[in-house]
Amino acid sequence: MGRNIFFLAIFALFWVTTTPFIDLRNPDVLLGQEAGDASNQIAVLLLLAMSIGILWQNRSAALSAISPAMICVLLWQFVTVVTSNHPDISLRRYILNVAVTIITLAWILAPQDTAQFRRLLRWGSAFVLALAYFGVMVWPEVSIHNTSEVLELANAGSWRGHFAHKNIAGPAMVVLMLFWLYLASTSERNTAKIAYCLLALLSLIFLYQSNNKTSIGLLAVVFLLAALIQRTKFLPLQMALAFVPVGFMALLTVGSVMFEPMGELVAMLVSDPTFTNRTDVWRFAIDQLQGHLFAGYGFETFWATSELRNAFHETWANAAGHAHNGLLNVAMSSGLVGVVLTLWWVFLNPLWDFNKCQNSDNDPRLALLFLRIWLFMLLYANLESPFFVGRGQVWFTLLAAVFGLRLHARMPQVIEPYSGEYRANDRMNAALPMKTALR
């Protein structure tokens, strides 16, 4: 019961947050966000204390999940805290980032087996989807973007549910759909499979109504790339399948403002060469990055500060909140060194881990779930900023997939011949929850 509550509490913290249904008609959303959220800080601290206990109980698995790349990223981010112009804000956000990392690893290890993991994932996902639809049907003024909001009036009519923005609701629905499809693939009863598919359809409908074009456009690409990567065990080919589309998309997006010929090509290929005015943000971020290439401005201390919002009046881009590109946002926060280390930890390591998964007898369906989430987030990062975001489900889910793939690659399982089931060697003390039936 304790592990059930712990798992669902963490899921709620990131998927619902302590401040759901934010009223975007309130002018306060225009202000800088230097101050922390007391309720979120208390929740994080409580779950962090519990997480340390879970990790101690599963210390062998926890240690195997910690990679040299992760350690280097966190150490370098601390260096940028010291060099930041706002070390107090940077330190607070860095502590939150470390806490989220610890909590996410504990969340992955909390269930005692995959049966419990699937059961808790089902209830948590059902609650989130129901809450999003509840908001749209019962409380539309704070669940559907409208013309009374103080920002981005062009979003009027787009569903967001209890999420803060349609660009958060969109990827949330994609991940929920991936959860439902995973649960359908592991279910033994046809009625359950149908129910999970219907829930996936409801997630798809919400995604469509959110008008989050990035997530909608990437969905089919993710399924195709994941299927192709799953069908080969040759790592260089897998790297080409994963990173060539990500790199090509990067050239079409941020590359369109860095290289004039690419900008001209984009203008010919797409109907909106500004990518919903993101090009203004990218130009502004690249200009401001000059002179701070090595270490950036300090961990999470460039955007959403009063200083930034009051310093520029010739452009609206200073109020963007983030760079609308994952790696560019990391560069603003921790420089090119931070970008290189992030590529090592978040880009390269997970694919290598998936390749190792294929050479084991571990459950391929769980690995496929993590692979799909990871691929989606990498592609999504070309138009949004999912990395190292302390609040919300985006970074939490990507981080869970990174940890999941690493553990899946390193924790061997024993197949019991009399039952045909995957079973961890030592309950959850040595592995992910993977008690999934072979079919």
Side-chain angles (χ1 to χ4, degrees):
M1 181 60 70
R3 286 175 180 261
N4 290 349
I5 295 172
F6 174 76
F7 184 98
L8 292 175
I10 292 177
F11 196 82
L13 175 64
F14 293 102
W15 279 81
V16 179
T17 76
T18 56
T19 54
F21 299 110
I22 294 174
D23 190 351
L24 298 180
R25 299 168 297 178
N26 188 339
D28 288 347
V29 301
L30 296 172
L31 302 177
Q33 305 297 318
E34 292 99 334
D37 181 346
S39 58
N40 183 70
Q41 291 171 349
I42 292 171
V44 168
L45 289 174
L46 288 173
L47 290 173
L48 177 62
M50 298 172 65
S51 297
I52 293 172
I54 292 289
L55 295 181
W56 178 253
Q57 294 173 10
N58 301 274
R59 50 191 175 276
S60 59
L63 288 173
S64 68
I66 298 174
S67 65
M70 170 187 157
I71 294 172
C72 289
V73 167
L74 295 178
L75 288 176
W76 177 250
Q77 287 174 345
F78 181 75
V79 172
T80 67
V81 170
V82 177
T83 61
S84 171
N85 291 332
H86 303 280
D88 53 335
I89 299 174
S90 191
L91 179 61
R92 186 172 68 244
R93 292 175 179 175
Y94 175 77
I95 292 172
L96 174 62
N97 177 54
V98 174
V100 168
T101 303
I102 294 171
I103 290 171
T104 304
L105 179 55
W107 181 79
I108 282 284
L109 292 172
Q112 295 184 342
D113 51 49
T114 3
Q116 186 181 19
F117 175 74
R118 293 196 304 268
R119 183 172 64 252
L120 296 175
L121 188 65
R122 176 184 66 202
W123 289 116
S125 300
F127 177 77
V128 168
L129 186 61
L131 186 64
Y133 270 100
F134 169 82
V136 168
M137 293 184 292
V138 178
W139 206 358
E141 59 269 25
V142 294
S143 300
I144 301 176
H145 287 288
N146 57 76
T147 55
S148 298
E149 296 174 357
V150 296
L151 279 174
E152 301 179 290
L153 300 185
N155 292 334
S158 301
W159 290 10
R160 64 183 177 96
H162 62 280
F163 300 101
H165 195 276
K166 75 180 186 70
N167 289 345
I168 300 176
M173 291 301 143
V174 170
V175 174
L176 284 181
M177 193 186 317
L178 297 180
F179 285 163
W180 297 128
L181 293 177
Y182 162 69
L183 291 170
S185 71
T186 58
S187 179
E188 299 178 8
R189 295 177 298 158
N190 289 332
T191 54
K193 289 180 181 292
I194 293 172
Y196 291 137
C197 289
L198 289 175
L199 289 167
L201 179 61
L202 285 175
S203 302
L204 180 61
I205 292 171
F206 200 106
L207 170 63
Y208 178 78
Q209 293 294 340
S210 74
N211 293 316
N212 181 228
K213 297 184 288 292
T214 302
S215 298
I216 294 170
L218 293 178
L219 193 58
V221 177
V222 167
F223 282 111
L224 175 62
L225 291 178
L228 292 174
I229 291 172
Q230 188 184 34
R231 280 164 173 73
T232 179
K233 294 185 178 182
F234 186 50
L235 181 59
L237 180 57
Q238 290 177 325
M239 294 178 69
L241 288 169
F243 299 136
V244 168
V246 171
F248 181 67
M249 190 174 174
L251 280 176
L252 291 178
T253 52
V254 172
S256 67
V257 303
M258 297 179 67
F259 310 108
E260 185 175 346
M262 187 57 63
E264 295 172 354
L265 176 63
V266 169
M268 291 188 297
L269 292 177
V270 300
S271 59
D272 179 16
T274 71
F275 297 97
T276 318
N277 296 322
R278 284 177 172 86
T279 52
D280 292 340
V281 181
W282 297 334
R283 288 191 184 96
F284 176 75
I286 292 170
D287 288 342
Q288 298 306 308
L289 190 57
Q290 306 305 315
H292 296 81
L293 288 174
F294 184 70
Y297 282 85
F299 185 74
E300 295 296 309
T301 52
F302 180 78
W303 302 100
T305 61
S306 299
E307 178 184 348
L308 175 65
R309 297 197 174 193
N310 295 329
F312 297 89
H313 302 286
E314 68 278 7
T315 178
W316 67 272
N318 62 318
H322 57 90
H324 285 281
N325 179 276
L327 291 178
L328 181 56
N329 205 64
V330 170
M332 302 299 292
S333 178
S334 53
L336 295 183
V337 175
V339 170
V340 171
L341 294 176
T342 299
L343 288 171
W344 179 20
W345 181 30
V346 179
F347 283 64
L348 295 176
N349 273 5
L351 187 59
W352 185 27
D353 290 333
F354 180 79
N355 181 265
K356 293 181 67 175
C357 293
Q358 293 177 295
N359 297 319
S360 71
D361 293 323
N362 292 341
D363 178 21
R365 291 165 297 190
L366 189 57
L368 179 61
L369 169 65
F370 294 141
L371 176 70
R372 285 172 169 173
I373 292 171
W374 173 78
L375 275 172
F376 170 75
M377 292 300 181
L378 293 198
L379 291 165
Y380 176 78
N382 280 296
L383 290 166
E384 299 296 341
S385 305
F387 307 135
F388 311 112
V389 180
R391 300 194 62 180
Q393 86 291 342
V394 176
W395 172 239
F396 165 74
T397 307
L398 172 57
L399 192 55
V402 171
F403 281 138
L405 285 171
R406 185 166 181 85
L407 287 166
H408 205 78
R410 285 161 176 75
M411 295 289 102
Q413 295 170 288
V414 176
I415 301 177
E416 297 185 12
Y418 65 86
S419 65
E421 289 191 345
Y422 288 96
R423 194 178 298 274
N425 287 333
D426 183 19
R427 290 179 66 193
M428 283 298 296
N429 290 332
L432 270 173
M434 301 178 196
K435 188 182 176 184
T436 306
L438 269 173
R439 298 297 173 200

